[in-house]
Amino acid sequence: MAEQTLVTLSNIQLAFGHHALLDHANFSIQAGERIGLIGRNGAGKSSLLKIIDGRIQADDGEVARISSLHVITVIQEPELDENKTIFENLVSDYLEKEDWGRPARAQAMMDKLKLQGNNLTTGLSGGTRKRIALAQAILQNPDLLLLDEPTNHLDFEGILWLEELINNSSCACLIITHDRLFLDEVTTRIVELDRGILHSFPGNFSQWQTQKAAWLAAEQLQNERFDKFLAQEEVWIRKGVEARRTRNEGRVKRLESLRKERAARRERIGNVNFAIDTGERSGKLVAELNDISHSFGDKVIISHYSTTIMRGDRIGLIGPNGAGKTTLLKIILGEIKPNEGDVKLGTNLNIAYFDQMREQLDENAPLTDVINPGSEWIEIGQTRKHVMSYLGDFLFSPARAQSPVSSLSGGERARLLLARLFARPANVLVMDEPTNDLDIETLELLEELLQNFDGTVLLVSHDRSFLDNVITQTIAYEGNGKWRDYVGGYEDWLQQRPRNIDSTVLTSPTPSSDNANATKLVNTTPNEKTERNKSSSKSKLSPWEAKELENIPEKISVLEAKQAELTEKLSSPELYQSGNAQLLEVQSAISEVEEQLMSLFERWELLESKVK
């Protein structure tokens, strides 16, 4: 039996400004399906949600809903009753709707989220407020749940909890998010809003990417054929006397129609043009932390942590909200002095800081003043750009250049802050939640920039795909103020981390071909620990091999540093002025280091295979 259609949008039109946000758009939502709504910032995604739940009316077209449809929307910044407790916010209208089971379900939800129901909502963090709003929405048993950027402010635990919540819910969901892994885990259909039209693709985000590439190629080919045919008809109409004598009125009318169709075609908006000048290189050492500890009152944020950050490292900081990631960042940068221990900063550090709260942006300042106050020109490396052209690289039109910051959306603010950061040379990029509010295409371009950046990157993010695509090292919170270094990104951390660490950290979702399996919390029981210890005791490694395996990463790190030093020497003009002998000596040393590295990697792989 066919699924029931909850909402149908027919020939919908909506315009704010010059271009239509929705241009004769058609769309429907079936009971039980989970739709990911994606598209550029400012494309009109939030406006579409407002049309569906009735907050605004379309300029034209028809919206049909089934009778008694129960729609609940969770907006980007949820509004809670500050005078009520958490429990009261969750169950506030259960008497009016005669939902007698809701208090019990609310209590179970609070127990799972470790929330104290009698606490007031005033002063709660953004992540906690978002969880309460999401729980409140699910507890109302909607037929259709509309979520606008639900993963913003959530940490890994919160995101995995939400994935479980959605996958276990029977209601239909329409979700605006730029979290690609989240889309893969929960969606059954992707709908893209592109230039006013809604395009539907069955499957999750990864499947959409494959289909979208083929669709764009087909669209380009179709447009090229259309333009070639139009050009031929334009040549015919201008042939002169002969054409005027034999003029076919039907062909003339067809040409007029072709011209109108070409004029109506809305070209794809360009991509953000990211570029950054590293300026002078920093010293090889960026920061060295030696046995640092830091507390706020009785709360221990960092306990006896040591690490070394070198030039060119791309490091991600992983941990739940409130763990102290931003505090650790500021200690690394020398902005906060730890209660105990020493911090040594490297030389010639030129730091650009992306602040998750966007506090660097003056609400009343025009965009041009935010980018480069007092000057109309931006210099990036050897390129000199006018501030208007530079703003255009970040998709801000000249007409908006004098608009105040207060007029910008969340995504536009994020783009503006990136524009401000990249307008000045920097050899250390510090980015605290840069992915919030950025659309997927801009995220992918930022990833590419960071991958090719030859300075140092320190990154805090809860976007798991972004972390995996950018960072090569991880500093992870493991409970009780303990932090530990790992090689690799988020998925690598999941594989390497101890299984008996603080229970606030969750494992990755269980893989599922149909995305129907719910993500499960990991609660390590004594029996599980015993089984794990038994399995580890069966390792085929001898004690000396285990010690060798433990030391290999450090040996590789030393060799890679030596390799980088020799490669840098090879690019020095002075080397080539001193004859071939020294050049051959450096090349020979590089070859020797490469052989040693290859041998170590092979040995590492062999020893790891014995552990499994």
Side-chain angles (χ1 to χ4, degrees):
M1 189 175 73
E3 292 286 354
Q4 184 181 29
T5 301
L6 303 180
V7 180
T8 302
L9 278 63
S10 304
N11 209 28
I12 294 296
Q13 298 182 65
L14 182 71
F16 295 133
H18 300 295
H19 292 305
L21 294 178
L22 297 169
D23 189 3
H24 300 279
N26 298 296
F27 180 51
S28 63
I29 302 174
Q30 309 297 317
E33 68 173 338
R34 303 188 296 273
I35 303 170
L37 178 59
I38 64 175
R40 286 284 183 86
N41 290 132
K45 302 185 296 296
S46 295
S47 296
L48 178 61
L49 260 59
K50 291 176 182 177
I51 289 175
I52 292 171
D53 66 13
R55 281 178 286 165
I56 64 172
Q57 301 297 313
D59 298 334
D60 199 4
E62 182 181 352
V63 180
R65 306 177 182 88
I66 62 168
S67 59
S68 69
L69 178 67
H70 187 202
V71 183
I72 298 293
T73 304
V74 180
I75 60 177
Q76 289 191 37
E77 301 296 335
E79 297 173 357
L80 301 174
D81 191 329
E82 304 292 331
N83 298 315
K84 290 183 178 179
T85 64
I86 294 174
F87 180 76
E88 288 169 343
N89 268 283
L90 292 178
V91 301
S92 57
D93 62 348
Y94 82 98
L95 289 175
E96 298 170 18
K97 297 182 180 179
E98 297 186 352
D99 183 3
W100 304 107
R102 194 192 300 181
R105 298 200 310 275
Q107 186 60 55
M109 191 86 76
M110 288 188 299
D111 291 343
K112 193 163 193 176
L113 294 176
K114 299 175 183 174
L115 296 173
Q116 297 298 318
N118 57 354
N119 288 348
L120 290 173
T121 55
T122 306
L124 294 177
S125 68
T128 303
R129 294 175 69 86
K130 181 63 74 75
R131 290 198 208 191
I132 293 170
L134 291 165
Q136 183 187 59
I138 289 288
L139 287 168
Q140 294 181 61
N141 290 326
D143 303 310
L144 174 59
L145 181 62
L146 307 179
L147 303 177
D148 196 347
E149 297 289 3
T151 63
N152 278 8
H153 304 303
L154 292 183
D155 53 21
F156 294 136
E157 181 186 11
I159 293 170
L160 295 172
W161 165 79
L162 180 58
E163 287 175 2
E164 179 187 21
L165 203 64
I166 292 173
N167 284 327
N168 285 341
S169 174
S170 60
C171 69
C173 295
L174 178 59
I175 308 161
I176 297 174
T177 183
H178 303 126
D179 187 322
R180 292 156 290 181
L181 187 54
F182 182 80
L183 285 168
D184 269 349
E185 291 300 323
V186 303
T187 58
T188 57
R189 178 158 66 113
I190 297 293
V191 172
E192 182 184 17
L193 178 53
D194 181 20
R195 292 163 285 177
I197 304 299
L198 291 162
H199 304 279
S200 181
F201 301 85
N204 61 20
F205 178 78
S206 294
Q207 293 164 329
W208 164 84
Q209 282 187 306
T210 303
Q211 296 179 64
K212 178 65 184 296
W215 178 78
L216 281 177
E219 182 190 45
Q220 182 180 357
L221 183 61
Q222 181 182 349
N223 287 341
E224 287 172 356
R225 288 172 176 166
F226 178 93
D227 291 344
K228 185 176 180 181
F229 179 62
L230 175 59
Q232 290 171 347
E233 293 300 285
E234 293 286 6
V235 169
W236 170 80
I237 200 70
R238 290 173 174 79
K239 274 188 176 179
V241 175
E242 182 181 352
R244 287 196 293 272
R245 285 176 181 165
T246 59
R247 182 167 291 188
N248 180 303
E249 288 303 320
R251 194 169 179 180
V252 171
K253 288 181 179 179
R254 182 177 65 185
L255 176 58
E256 290 174 354
S257 175
L258 290 171
R259 285 171 172 170
K260 288 179 181 177
E261 185 176 343
R262 180 62 184 85
R265 187 200 302 168
R266 289 173 59 184
E267 298 293 354
R268 187 168 181 79
I269 301 170
N271 286 322
V272 174
N273 183 15
F274 284 145
I276 187 168
D277 176 20
T278 54
E280 295 183 41
R281 300 181 77 184
S282 69
K284 292 180 69 173
L285 175 71
V286 173
E288 185 176 28
L289 279 61
N290 183 26
D291 197 30
I292 67 164
S293 296
H294 197 74
S295 303
F296 292 115
D298 295 332
K299 184 174 183 181
V300 178
I301 302 296
I302 304 164
S303 176
H304 300 287
Y305 174 62
S306 301
T307 194
T308 301
I309 298 171
M310 305 298 290
R311 180 180 65 221
D313 286 349
R314 296 201 302 273
I315 299 174
L317 276 69
I318 284 179
N321 289 338
K325 299 184 293 295
T326 300
T327 300
L328 179 55
L329 263 186
K330 291 184 176 181
I331 289 175
I332 292 171
L333 299 176
E335 294 184 12
I336 294 178
K337 184 176 176 59
N339 299 145
E340 299 176 19
D342 301 314
V343 177
K344 179 183 177 183
L345 294 180
T347 58
N348 199 31
L349 300 183
N350 198 347
I351 299 168
Y353 198 143
F354 185 101
D355 172 27
Q356 66 165 315
M357 302 308 293
R358 319 291 197 255
E359 291 176 354
Q360 300 172 36
L361 299 177
D362 180 350
E363 292 291 309
N364 300 315
L367 306 192
T368 50
D369 283 2
V370 170
I371 297 299
N372 206 21
S375 175
E376 294 184 353
W377 298 94
I378 308 289
E379 292 189 8
I380 301 175
Q382 303 301 315
T383 304
R384 192 167 186 256
K385 281 192 174 184
H386 192 274
V387 67
M388 303 291 273
S389 173
Y390 183 72
L391 281 169
D393 289 344
F394 289 82
L395 305 185
F396 293 107
S397 66
R400 301 193 64 189
Q402 296 304 318
S403 300
V405 170
S406 59
S407 68
L408 302 181
S409 67
E412 288 170 331
R413 286 167 184 257
R415 284 208 311 269
L416 183 65
L417 187 50
L418 289 173
R420 175 189 169 97
L421 288 182
F422 298 164
R424 295 160 184 78
N427 52 37
V428 180
L429 282 180
V430 182
M431 314 197 84
D432 196 348
E433 297 290 2
T435 61
N436 283 354
D437 303 313
L438 291 180
D439 58 49
I440 290 170
E441 291 184 53
T442 305
L443 274 178
E444 290 174 342
L445 289 167
L446 180 58
E447 285 175 352
E448 186 177 356
L449 174 92
L450 296 178
Q451 288 163 359
N452 297 323
F453 179 62
D454 59 4
T456 306
V457 177
L458 298 172
L459 174 66
V460 173
S461 177
H462 294 121
D463 187 319
R464 296 158 291 176
S465 297
F466 190 80
L467 286 168
D468 277 334
N469 292 337
V470 171
I471 65 174
T472 56
Q473 300 173 62
T474 297
I475 298 174
Y477 177 77
E478 301 196 334
N480 301 318
K482 298 295 183 183
W483 297 81
R484 183 177 170 185
D485 295 358
Y486 292 87
V487 175
Y490 173 80
E491 288 295 332
D492 298 303
W493 164 72
L494 286 178
Q495 297 301 318
Q496 299 174 64
R497 70 187 181 87
R499 296 299 175 184
N500 59 347
I501 64 172
D502 192 287
S503 62
T504 57
V505 184
L506 302 180
T507 60
S508 61
T510 303
S512 167
S513 58
D514 60 2
N515 293 318
N517 292 337
T519 304
K520 303 299 180 186
L521 301 183
V522 172
N523 293 308
T524 308
T525 66
N527 288 340
E528 289 172 327
K529 290 180 183 176
T530 303
E531 289 300 316
R532 192 173 298 119
N533 290 336
K534 285 181 182 177
S535 64
S536 63
S537 68
K538 295 178 183 178
S539 170
K540 299 176 183 177
L541 285 181
S542 64
W544 66 267
E545 284 178 323
K547 184 68 174 176
E548 181 187 5
L549 178 60
E550 183 182 342
N551 292 333
I552 283 179
E554 185 177 350
K555 290 180 179 179
I556 289 174
S557 179
V558 171
L559 283 172
E560 287 179 333
K562 185 177 180 181
Q563 184 184 43
E565 184 180 348
L566 289 167
T567 303
E568 184 179 347
K569 188 180 291 186
L570 199 62
S571 63
S572 171
E574 289 80 7
L575 180 65
Y576 298 87
Q577 294 170 4
S578 58
N580 288 335
Q582 194 173 354
L583 175 62
L584 292 172
E585 184 181 331
V586 173
Q587 290 176 332
S588 174
I590 290 175
S591 298
E592 185 179 342
V593 169
E594 288 175 347
E595 288 177 8
Q596 291 174 350
L597 278 171
M598 186 61 68
S599 176
L600 275 175
F601 279 122
E602 289 174 355
R603 182 63 177 163
W604 194 1
E605 185 176 357
L606 175 63
L607 293 175
E608 284 280 7
S609 68
K610 289 187 176 183
V611 177
K612 295 175 183 177

